[in-house]
Amino acid sequence: MPPFGIKDIIDIIIVALLLFYIYRLMKESGTINIFYGVMAFIIVWVVASEIFEMRLIGTILNKFMSIGLLILVILFQEQIKRFLVELGSHRRWRFLAKILHHRTDDAEKSVAWVLPVVYACINMSRSKTGALIVIEQSIPLDNYAKSGDIIDSAPNSRLIENIFFKNSPLHDGALIIAHGRLNSAGCILPVSHDSDLPRYMGLRHRSALGIAQATDAVAVVVSEETGNISIAHRGKLTTRLSSTELEHRLNAIATAVEQ
């Protein structure tokens, strides 16, 4: 038996980090139970074929593993795509940019959209105007932006309020903010089927959670029934935020992009 060396330690650390990242990604997307099921199957496969050397069971499980990998790729193509996009994101390799003294022109725009969004949400909350605003992070939202009408405007609270005015043709969809600008409105988002969501939450809240599970975007919701402000991020929905809490959260998210 070969000695346990530094390569084995590095191997274990890499596998542990990979499993943790996959666990976090699937937890955010609401598919954590499937992760537990896959891990349980792999443990049974390793114990049966490697430790106890059960040939028949090992052969059967080997066949399932070869087919199961293809099935998992088909079922979780969106999560795999998100994993690869986040892995190649500029945020993951920012240290290289620092070494090369590379600066992006998004630094000045990083927080420019925060106050217009907060002011608009405050006014829409008072008038109980329903709204759904999505802020792009590292994962591009181009496919969702194409489902709406392109605006390409500087952040403006009055424009945001007019978009979600009840008689506006764009008020039913989502407003997407990308690269510090109002990108498109009337956009269609994926809907979350999370059974833990209360029944009184409508399509806007489910769409906000859906985009937060499918991507790393931030979604702000203003309820048309109650005027309450909610925010969805990293697969979690936080409801009944005050204007101060909303501003604090959005500022923290915006400034984190450049850190």
Side-chain angles (χ1 to χ4, degrees), residues 58-258:
T59 302
I60 295 174
L61 293 180
N62 285 337
K63 295 296 182 181
F64 273 110
M65 285 296 294
S66 59
I67 299 174
L69 181 61
L70 178 61
I71 295 175
L72 289 177
V73 170
I74 296 174
L75 290 177
F76 299 106
Q77 53 183 324
E78 289 298 327
Q79 285 77 10
I80 293 173
K81 179 181 177 182
R82 176 180 170 184
F83 171 78
L84 295 176
V85 170
E86 288 197 7
L87 187 63
S89 171
H90 67 279
R91 300 182 196 180
R92 306 292 178 186
W93 310 100
R94 187 171 288 112
F95 68 94
L96 291 177
K98 291 181 179 179
I99 294 175
L100 298 174
H101 302 285
H102 176 71
R103 293 175 62 90
T104 62
D105 57 359
D106 290 337
E108 296 180 357
K109 301 178 182 179
S110 60
V111 294
W113 53 268
V114 174
L115 287 181
V117 170
V118 172
Y119 290 150
C121 288
I122 292 173
N123 293 332
M124 290 186 293
S125 175
R126 290 172 180 170
S127 62
K128 293 186 178 180
T129 301
L132 174 55
I133 303 171
V134 180
I135 301 96
E136 180 184 277
Q137 299 295 292
S138 63
I139 298 179
L141 302 178
D142 297 342
N143 290 335
Y144 303 109
K146 291 177 182 177
S147 65
D149 294 321
I150 302 299
I151 298 175
D152 192 22
S153 169
N156 184 291
S157 59
R158 291 187 179 274
L159 177 57
I160 295 175
E161 291 178 50
N162 285 331
I163 289 174
F164 292 106
F165 182 67
K166 293 182 179 180
N167 293 330
S168 168
L170 301 176
H171 79 282
D172 278 334
L175 169 66
I176 293 180
I177 299 177
H179 308 293
R181 295 179 65 83
L182 306 184
N183 187 351
S184 57
C187 302
I188 301 173
L189 303 180
V191 178
S192 173
H193 299 285
D194 193 336
S195 58
D196 294 333
L197 279 178
R199 292 185 177 180
Y200 65 84
M201 289 189 176
L203 185 60
R204 284 194 180 93
H205 289 86
R206 293 188 176 276
S207 297
L209 185 57
I211 194 68
Q213 290 175 340
T215 69
D216 62 348
V218 182
V220 181
V221 185
V222 179
S223 173
E224 189 173 358
E225 289 75 21
T226 63
N228 291 333
I229 301 174
S230 306
I231 188 169
H233 186 46
R234 296 292 184 184
K236 295 181 180 179
L237 181 66
T238 305
T239 59
R240 298 181 181 180
L241 293 176
S242 65
S243 57
T244 304
E245 291 173 330
L246 176 64
E247 182 179 359
H248 176 73
R249 283 175 175 265
L250 293 182
N251 270 318
I253 292 169
T255 53
V257 174
E258 300 302 323

